[in-house]
Amino acid sequence: MCQLLGLNCATPTDASFSFTGFCDRGGRTDHHADGWGIAFFEGKGLRLFIDHRSAHDSPMAAFLQGYPLKSRNIIAHVRKATIGEVALENAHPFVRELWGRQWVFAHNGDLKDYAPNLHSHFRPVGTTDSERAFCWLMQELAKSHAGLPSVDELTRTLRELVPQVRRFGTFNFLLSNGEALWAHCSTKLHWLVRQHPFSQATLKDRDWTVNFADLNQPGDRAAVIVTTPLTSNEVWTAFEPEELKVFVDGLPVG
């Protein structure tokens, strides 16, 4: 299946370290070679990069590993295609607008025979079950709230909606609107918080160690969410099955 990476931070944070180790799983150290993508917010703006090639072979991915990916909310994905051909329109993350905000979504898993009723405003461009699920979530959020609700209200609504998708199969996903990052685990997802006092971290997929104390200030903080732990010397916490967590300012809040 695919793999997910998300960062939710208190201040704009450089994600190059995590993104580089994650990209290695897109065809070098693992078999998720059917496309990749990353989306990161800059204020209300959003930068989105996707490619149908493997992250390991993509010149765009190589460029971004050296680009200062500073953001408070980042979602990345490496794909192992199961439903939907290998094509640019099927590369995650997917993006839609709702209530004047960009929403970003990436999914890991299979949803069998999933064909929700969708109205004209939210329609898939590609052929994945993932994009159909995202469109349905956006549609139902829009029906449930007249305007942009609080993070707590959004979380309560998502807790009602997610089981309606989960019954069709595996539904690990990351979702962000630039204010918060929601993460749902069906089968496998891990998280940690990097904060003061910062320590060293060593990637599992590449020989690279970083001392975060040299790169961060005391007020910096980043929650990292990933399918399989990226580092060998940090303490990662596994999500419980069917757990939905929301992260704000680099901390889990629900």
Side-chain angles (χ1 to χ4, degrees):
M1 291 187 182
C2 309
Q3 290 210 13
L4 303 167
L5 169 66
L7 282 86
N8 171 266
C9 312
T11 58
T13 298
D14 188 339
S16 300
F17 176 76
S18 295
F19 181 64
T20 296
F22 186 67
C23 280
D24 283 341
R25 299 177 178 183
R28 190 177 81 85
T29 61
D30 215 329
H31 58 272
H32 308 90
D34 296 329
W36 67 276
I38 184 170
F40 54 104
F41 288 86
E42 293 183 8
K44 290 187 176 181
L46 180 74
R47 295 185 189 269
L48 173 67
F49 298 88
I50 56 173
D51 198 342
H52 65 282
R53 290 176 290 186
S54 72
H56 176 59
D57 295 327
S58 169
M60 188 187 300
F63 164 75
L64 289 173
Q65 288 172 42
Y67 184 87
L69 297 174
K70 286 198 170 185
S71 176
R72 294 183 61 195
N73 285 281
I74 299 170
I75 291 178
H77 183 274
V78 289
R79 184 176 185 230
K80 176 64 176 176
T82 52
I83 299 175
E85 65 272 26
V86 178
L88 188 62
E89 63 267 25
N90 289 333
H92 306 217
F94 302 105
V95 178
R96 293 293 189 279
E97 178 276 331
L98 177 60
W99 301 309
R101 283 182 176 266
Q102 303 275 25
W103 291 73
V104 176
F105 175 88
H107 168 228
N108 164 28
D110 290 329
L111 302 172
K112 303 298 185 184
D113 302 317
Y114 182 64
N117 291 321
L118 298 172
H119 60 53
S120 59
H121 188 65
F122 297 104
R123 303 284 293 187
V125 176
T127 56
T128 64
D129 54 334
S130 306
E131 191 180 14
R132 290 195 294 273
F134 179 38
C135 288
W136 185 81
L137 285 176
M138 290 293 96
Q139 172 180 287
E140 298 306 304
L141 285 174
K143 288 162 59 176
S144 300
H145 303 280
L148 179 64
S150 68
V151 170
D152 286 345
E153 290 177 296
L154 284 166
T155 302
R156 286 194 293 270
T157 304
L158 285 170
R159 292 193 194 282
E160 296 174 358
L161 296 176
V162 167
Q164 300 180 52
V165 182
R166 171 64 182 91
R167 62 192 179 91
F168 288 91
T170 305
F171 197 40
N172 304 294
F173 73 78
L174 300 176
L175 173 71
S176 181
N177 63 356
E179 180 183 7
L181 190 150
W182 290 267
H184 178 260
C185 174
S186 282
T187 54
K188 184 189 292 186
L189 209 57
H190 297 78
W191 68 279
L192 60 71
V193 173
R194 293 180 180 138
Q195 60 186 342
H196 183 78
F198 293 95
S199 58
Q200 288 188 341
T202 300
L203 290 174
K204 283 187 173 183
D205 298 86
R206 182 175 296 206
D207 184 14
W208 188 6
T209 298
V210 164
N211 185 355
F212 285 107
D214 296 335
L215 304 174
N216 292 276
Q217 302 300 316
D220 295 338
R221 183 173 57 245
V224 186
I225 304 96
V226 70
T227 302
T228 301
L230 286 171
T231 55
S232 58
N233 59 340
E234 295 182 290
V235 178
W236 294 83
T237 300
F239 279 65
E240 295 295 330
E242 313 313 324
E243 184 177 16
L244 176 69
K245 297 184 78 69
V246 58
F247 297 83
V248 176
D249 292 332
L251 288 173
V253 296

